[in-house]
Amino acid sequence: MSTLQIIDLRASVETKEGRKQILNGVNLTIESGQTHAIMGPNGSGKSTLAYTLAGHPKYQVDGGQVLIDGENLLEMTADERAKAGLFLAMQYPVEVPGVSMTNFLRTAVTAVQGEAPSIRTWTKELSEAMKRLRMDPKFAQRSVNDGFSGGEKKRAEVLQLELLKPKFAILDETDSGLDVDALRIVSEGVNRAKENTGLGIMMVTHYTRILKYIKPDVVHVFAHGRVVETGGPDLADRLEEEGYDKYLPEGATESALA
C-alpha cells in the first residue's frame, strides 16, 4: 500500500505581468488502488497541479509538501520523482525525433527499475502491450511521437504507463482530442494497468465522458487553485448538469478564464 499526500501545496509561474500565484493551498491524499478525478473550470490550475507534482521547472513551489510513502517529492528532480513511483501522462505529449519508441521505453524502464530487462523478455512485453493498445508494431521503430496523431500519442503515453508500472499516475486530460474508439482503448489500458499493479490515479479532466470508462472513487472540484469540494461519482454527474458557474468569481465566465 502506497500513499501520495499533497499538503497545503502552493505554486506560482512567471508571466509577462510578473509572477502569478496559481496553486493556493492544495490538500489531497491518494492511496494505492484509488482513482481520484480532478475537475474544474478552465484556468483553475488543474494542469499546473499535475506539472508541479511532476517537477516541471516552469512552476515554482512556494510552500507546502508532497509526500510519496513519506518521502518528500519536492526535494527530488523530475527523474528522481519517476524513480520514486510517479508518472505523468501529458495532455500534449512531446515529439522526440531520432529516438525510437523501443530505445526510449527500454531506457526509461531501465532507469526506473535500476536494471535493464533482457532483450528477449523486453521484446515480448513491448509487443504484447502494443497489441493490447491496438498499436501497429511498426510504431516500435518510429521516433517517439514524431508524426503521431493525437490518439496515437495518447496510446503511447498509456504504453509507457503499462511498462513503467508506477505507484501513482497523473493523467492530465488524457481524453483531450480522442474520438470514441480511441478513448475506449486508452481507458482500457489505464484500467488494465491499475488492475495489474494496484496503482493510484489522479485524473485531471474537464468533462465527464472519460469517467464513463475510468470510474472514479472520489471526485474533487478544483477552483481558484485549490480543492473546493469533494464527493463521490455522483458529484461528476451534478457538474455535468450544472457546470462550473457556481465556483467562478462573481461576474466571470468560464470562457473568459480559458
Side-chain angles (χ1 to χ4, degrees):
M1 175 72 72
S2 291
T3 303
L4 175 66
Q5 292 177 284
I6 305 170
I7 307 167
D8 195 29
L9 181 62
R10 286 164 279 130
S12 56
V13 64
E14 192 66 42
T15 69
K16 294 180 180 179
E17 293 75 30
R19 185 155 291 279
K20 181 180 180 181
Q21 194 82 22
I22 305 295
L23 302 183
N24 297 298
V26 180
N27 291 283
L28 184 64
T29 299
I30 303 175
E31 305 282 356
S32 294
Q34 292 183 340
T35 297
H36 289 238
I38 309 294
M39 305 184 70
N42 287 325
S44 60
K46 301 186 301 296
S47 290
T48 295
L49 174 61
Y51 285 97
T52 299
L53 294 177
H56 195 297
K58 176 181 176 181
Y59 302 99
Q60 176 179 300
V61 175
D62 301 311
Q65 291 181 296
V66 179
L67 307 175
I68 184 167
D69 294 336
E71 293 186 77
N72 189 356
L73 285 183
L74 301 181
E75 295 178 351
M76 303 179 189
T77 59
D79 63 302
E80 289 171 340
R81 297 181 196 202
K83 292 175 183 177
L86 195 68
F87 175 86
L88 171 65
M90 294 181 283
Q91 181 179 359
Y92 303 107
V94 298
E95 298 182 2
V96 190
V99 178
S100 73
M101 287 288 294
T102 295
N103 288 339
F104 169 74
L105 291 167
R106 189 165 187 264
T107 299
V109 169
T110 299
V112 168
Q113 297 181 354
E115 61 179 356
S118 69
I119 294 295
R120 179 177 297 179
T121 301
W122 169 251
T123 300
K124 180 181 179 181
E125 187 174 4
L126 176 60
S127 176
E128 290 178 349
M130 293 184 70
K131 185 177 181 179
R132 289 192 295 268
L133 287 165
R134 304 182 196 179
M135 296 180 70
D136 189 324
K138 295 178 181 177
F139 275 70
Q141 303 307 320
R142 289 181 58 177
S143 294
V144 178
N145 292 327
D146 191 18
F148 287 23
S149 69
E152 290 164 348
K153 288 180 179 179
K154 296 301 176 70
R155 293 190 203 196
E157 292 285 282
V158 177
L159 177 64
Q160 294 174 49
L161 173 63
E162 288 206 59
L163 295 172
L164 290 172
K165 301 177 176 66
K167 294 178 181 177
F168 294 96
I170 303 168
L171 310 180
D172 185 24
E173 301 207 26
T174 297
D175 51 339
S176 176
L178 297 182
D179 61 26
V180 174
D181 291 332
L183 178 63
R184 186 181 67 254
I185 292 169
V186 164
S187 298
E188 288 172 352
V190 173
N191 289 332
R192 186 165 52 244
K194 178 182 175 181
E195 182 179 347
N196 290 338
T197 66
L199 83 161
I201 298 172
M202 189 183 90
M203 182 168 50
V204 175
T205 184
H206 191 68
Y207 303 105
T208 60
R209 66 174 193 154
I210 194 171
L211 305 186
K212 298 175 182 177
Y213 299 94
I214 303 175
K215 304 293 186 181
D217 300 294
V218 184
V219 175
H220 306 276
V221 180
F222 205 80
H224 319 299
R226 64 184 185 275
V227 175
V228 296
E229 186 173 353
T230 295
D234 58 309
L235 176 54
D237 296 331
R238 198 187 83 204
L239 293 171
E240 179 78 2
E241 295 178 2
E242 300 177 1
Y244 299 108
D245 285 351
K246 64 180 287 187
Y247 304 103
L248 300 177
E250 187 174 350
T253 62
E254 187 178 353
S255 61
L257 298 176

